[in-house]
Amino acid sequence: GVGVAVVSGLDDVDARDLKRATRAQHVELEPMVMMDNPMGAPEVVAYDGEITSPDDPTTAGWFPAQWNMRAIGAPEAWAAGRLGDPGTTVAILDTGIDYDYPDLVGRVDLSRSVSFLPVDDFYVDLFFPGRHPITDLHYHGTHVASTVASNGNVIAGVTSGVTLVGIKVCSVLGGCPGSAIFAGVAHAIAIEADVANMSLGGSFTKRDFPGFVSAVQRLFNAANRAGVTMVVAAGNDAVDMDHDGNGFRTYCNAANVVCVSATGPTGGGTFTAGPFPNPDAFAGYSNFGRSAISVAAPGGNVPAVVAACSTTSLIIPVCGTGTFVLGLGGTSMASPHAAGVAALISEDVGRRPGLIRQRLHKSADDVGQTGPDPYYGKGRVNAGAAVGAN
């Protein structure tokens, strides 16, 4: 119902002929969105502890290093019994998910997971025959997914019980074709996801892709009407989105989204137990803007955010030799914190994106300027407050 078709194999003459023949409003080259690179080189450390299934996420092996979970009041939500409901679905539109990582085993619904990247599917079959096409050959999607939901063996996620669905829209090389993203959002709508996380950065000029911009707005409006809460990363370009000229920021400039900026401590090490001073400091790389930012969440500054590393990564091959955790920084890491909190809220209010956004805003901690501001939006998300636990 969005009115978009993807056609391959056309040259410029064919495209003009197609537009005349179909009376299409726009016929454009599809834009390629690139994932924002993490801030700094990824940090990788092996986990040599016991793989258990703790009922308390604070007992996860690397929890002492997870300043991010403490910053958003996640332990308070857990202590109140709010660990997430398997009946709640969070779609992860990303590079895929390593569903065999200890913290993700049983968390991913493979029957509803899908890849929209045939080239990546070829490489999955080549290097990991027999595995599901959403196998994460990068590392980004697995890190994001385990931040939303984790079994709490190695690292804690915002939730422990939520069901994840992998929707592969970004390749092992980090490219995210517009057609794959459209198909991915449409799939999230079709499977009736409660929340969809898009840790995808990038931008393009509106005048170059007017049809794509129009279609994006229609698609995200459709997701909102269908009950899918769309949570997106603000991007890592330190851009003031209030004064971005003719730029279209993917996907903070889309309709009805939760756009998430990044925070992080000003000191401490990624794989230490702290101290972590000023955990709510604004991350200087994060895009900002009063008209765009909804809320802020941990993305990392000096210490990064610790989460799972895909055992099938071709980018960081050492992660395939054991159980490794990965330290990454960026708004890509901030977005899944907000998505996890949104999933908890949806348990209370149902698939009603407007109410979910409203509670996400009202429960956030006003850690910046008094009231909404360009950096933190309505504030830094608070899981405990969102579920009435503090």
Side-chain angles (χ1 to χ4, degrees):
V2 176
V4 176
V6 179
V7 184
S8 61
L10 302 184
D11 59 21
D12 290 344
V13 174
D14 294 333
R16 287 194 296 270
D17 290 344
L18 178 65
K19 185 173 182 180
R20 284 195 297 266
T22 61
R23 297 184 182 179
Q25 188 173 13
H26 300 279
V27 176
E28 298 172 354
L29 289 173
E30 73 168 337
M32 175 71 76
V33 175
M34 299 299 295
M35 286 187 304
D36 274 330
N37 290 324
M39 305 313 298
E43 303 174 71
V44 188
V45 172
Y47 177 66
D48 297 322
E50 184 180 1
I51 302 295
T52 61
S53 296
D55 295 324
D56 179 1
T58 63
T59 65
W62 276 107
F63 181 75
Q66 292 189 277
W67 57 270
N68 49 312
M69 294 299 164
R70 291 185 288 277
I72 67 167
E76 287 78 7
W78 304 334
R82 299 303 297 272
L83 297 171
D85 188 330
T88 300
T89 296
V90 178
I92 306 296
L93 281 73
D94 215 293
T95 62
I97 303 175
D98 176 8
Y99 51 86
D100 281 340
Y101 190 89
D103 280 329
L104 292 169
V105 171
R107 297 267 58 80
V108 184
D109 183 353
L110 294 179
S111 69
R112 292 189 291 163
S113 296
V114 64
S115 167
F116 291 107
L117 294 173
V119 173
D120 246 48
D121 299 348
F122 170 80
Y123 287 116
V124 169
D125 288 340
L126 179 64
F127 291 104
F128 303 99
R131 286 186 61 97
H132 194 284
I134 65 151
T135 294
D136 187 7
L137 303 179
H138 194 263
Y139 57 75
H140 193 274
T142 297
H143 195 281
V144 166
S146 63
T147 300
V148 174
S150 165
N151 292 325
N153 300 311
V154 181
I155 56 98
V158 177
T159 73
S160 297
V162 163
T163 296
L164 301 171
V165 170
I167 303 178
K168 186 183 283 191
V169 297
C170 297
S171 75
V172 64
L173 298 179
C176 313
S179 57
I181 292 170
F182 267 77
V185 175
H187 186 69
I189 294 172
I191 65 171
E192 299 185 344
D194 298 274
V195 179
N197 186 82
M198 298 179 69
S199 289
L200 314 176
S203 67
F204 51 83
T205 304
K206 294 177 187 176
R207 70 171 66 93
D208 293 334
F209 297 96
F212 185 80
V213 172
S214 175
V216 165
Q217 303 296 21
R218 295 197 303 274
L219 180 65
F220 279 69
N221 279 327
N224 185 68
R225 291 193 301 271
V228 183
T229 299
M230 305 297 298
V231 183
V232 303
N236 300 341
D237 301 314
V239 166
D240 180 354
M241 292 185 281
D242 288 338
H243 303 91
D244 198 19
N246 200 39
F248 185 85
R249 293 281 158 179
T250 48
Y251 283 90
C252 278
N253 290 146
N256 299 304
V257 300
V258 176
C259 175
V260 189
S261 63
T263 60
T266 55
T270 296
F271 299 107
T272 72
F276 301 109
N278 307 314
D280 289 324
F282 186 72
Y285 56 79
S286 178
N287 291 347
F288 58 96
R290 191 182 301 274
S291 65
I293 300 300
S294 306
V295 291
N301 254 333
V302 178
V305 173
V306 175
C309 186
S310 175
T311 61
T312 52
S313 174
L314 302 181
I315 306 299
I316 309 178
V318 69
C319 289
T321 65
T323 302
F324 286 78
V325 291
L326 185 61
L328 295 177
T331 58
S332 284
M333 286 62 255
S335 183
H337 289 84
V341 177
L344 293 175
I345 296 172
S346 73
E347 295 174 17
D348 296 334
V349 304
R351 299 180 68 248
R352 303 169 74 181
L355 292 182
I356 291 173
R357 291 193 295 269
Q358 183 181 68
R359 188 186 291 190
L360 196 64
H361 295 165
K362 286 187 174 181
S363 62
D365 290 334
D366 190 1
V367 295
Q369 304 169 13
T370 302
D373 69 73
Y375 302 99
Y376 298 89
K378 300 297 193 299
R380 190 256 303 119
V381 297
N382 186 318
V387 298
N390 59 12

